[in-house]
Amino acid sequence: MGFDLDLVQSDSRHHGAFICAICQCLTDLDCLVTTACSHCFCRQCLPVWLDKMNRTTCPTCNRDLLYSKNNDINNSCMMMGSRSVMVQPLENAQPLSHRLLKTILVKCPLHKGVACQWTGDYGDLQTHLLSSTAHETDNLTTEDSKLRTESSAPQEKGDMRQTKQKHLSLAASLKEEANGQFGTQHYQEANSLYTKAISVLRQYELEKTEEEGQDEAIDLLSTLYSNRAATYLELQDYSHCLDDCNHILQRLGTENVKVYVRASRASIQLGNLEMAKTFVENGLQQKQTNLVLQKEERRLQQMMQWVDVGNRQLKNQQNAHAK
């Protein structure tokens, strides 16, 4: 999925050539272009069309894109699944067109959630979303919050509740945008957005109050840390994945079994099967009938058996079998 056309401000004569015929959205900035007929598609949409649906033609003009069926050897190609097709990243194949894509005028996707009025180039959108000054709300330090909670007038307490709701709304909007990036496999972009959302709510993690919205803030923080852990897992940054999972389990609490699964998988990648086993067992204590955890437990048991067999073979100097 690309960028919602309702947020595009440029004239259709500017952005029309960059609408993905598959998802009917503005293509992502890392989009692909067919080198035979110059049609643009989202990087996630075209492989589904060609490989998973077993098609070989351009979604726009039906031209056959298989490299083996075209005589023009000057057309560049790339592998999709098991086939070589005449497709390349737009940035590489047509740099000027890619530069034009980046200048399309768009609105901030958070304008509905937090009434952001920003309008700018498509290529500057991610910078805007991650800016520390964008979507500013009245950030309160933890000490200020505590002081005003204990001694402020009712009107000031009302202002604090309103500020907290603004923070919750902003964090939730950033989470939705990050979820969209994760769904299109833009893991680094999703990670950055989750991080900004966490920074918006982090002050409420330290508060020990029963004020309205506090439980909602903690639940949302737990989800944000869990989702960021998922991006770290995809980015193969297993240490940070484990840090986020431990943060949730030790400081926020959760009933989300995905946290235990992600912690287990990160531990496996770090070579610590015993730690992975502990995470799975702790998860099963909370959700004994959870099928995902049960499957993870069986997979882990199999891996530990292989390690035991390999260690015995090494001990008996059966190095080839151990490998």
Side-chain angles (χ1 to χ4, degrees), residues 34-53:
T34 57
T35 55
C37 47
S38 294
H39 292 129
C40 296
F41 305 96
C42 296
R43 183 176 286 270
Q44 305 307 317
C45 293
L46 192 58
V48 173
W49 172 274
L50 292 175
D51 191 42
K52 294 184 179 179
M53 294 187 176

Side-chain angles (χ1 to χ4, degrees), residues 108-259:
C108 176
L110 306 188
H111 80 284
K112 291 183 179 179
V114 296
C116 178
Q117 300 301 312
W118 181 87
T119 300
D121 288 350
Y122 190 27
D124 295 333
L125 177 59
Q126 187 70 5
T127 301
H128 161 71
L129 289 172
L130 298 178
S131 170
S132 60
T133 58
H135 319 112
E136 275 189 323
T137 52
D138 299 323
N139 290 307
L140 302 173
T141 66
T142 303
E143 289 193 7
D144 287 340
S145 178
K146 182 178 179 181
L147 178 62
R148 293 175 65 178
T149 300
E150 293 175 349
S151 61
S152 60
Q155 181 178 357
E156 290 177 324
K157 291 183 178 180
D159 292 341
M160 286 182 60
R161 285 194 292 270
Q162 185 177 14
T163 297
K164 179 176 284 189
Q165 288 303 315
K166 288 180 180 180
H167 289 161
L168 285 168
S169 179
L170 173 56
S173 297
L174 287 166
K175 177 178 78 75
E176 291 305 312
E177 184 66 20
N179 289 348
Q181 295 286 359
F182 187 93
T184 56
Q185 299 180 19
H186 294 105
Y187 301 122
Q188 188 59 63
E189 290 82 352
N191 180 284
S192 299
L193 289 167
Y194 287 132
T195 298
K196 180 174 179 179
I198 288 170
S199 70
V200 172
L201 295 181
R202 186 174 285 129
Q203 61 182 300
Y204 302 113
E205 183 180 332
L206 304 176
E207 292 184 359
K208 304 298 182 183
T209 69
E210 296 183 0
E211 287 186 356
E212 179 183 353
Q214 181 65 14
D215 289 343
E216 185 181 354
I218 296 301
D219 288 344
L220 183 51
L221 262 173
S222 180
T223 299
L224 290 168
Y225 274 108
S226 176
N227 290 359
R228 189 173 71 171
T231 65
Y232 281 132
L233 201 58
E234 294 292 343
L235 293 167
Q236 300 181 13
D237 189 346
Y238 305 116
S239 294
H240 281 106
C241 174
L242 199 55
D243 288 344
D244 276 356
C245 292
N246 280 324
H247 187 90
I248 297 168
L249 297 173
Q250 295 170 10
R251 301 189 62 175
L252 300 175
T254 184
E255 295 183 357
N256 186 357
V257 299
K258 293 180 181 178
V259 176

Side-chain angles (χ1 to χ4, degrees), residues 3 5 7 10 32 55 69 72 108 121 128 147 201 252 320:
F3 190 74
L5 287 178
L7 301 175
S10 292
L32 302 172
R55 295 186 174 103
K69 293 186 178 181
D72 189 353
C108 176
D121 288 350
H128 161 71
L147 178 62
L201 295 181
L252 300 175

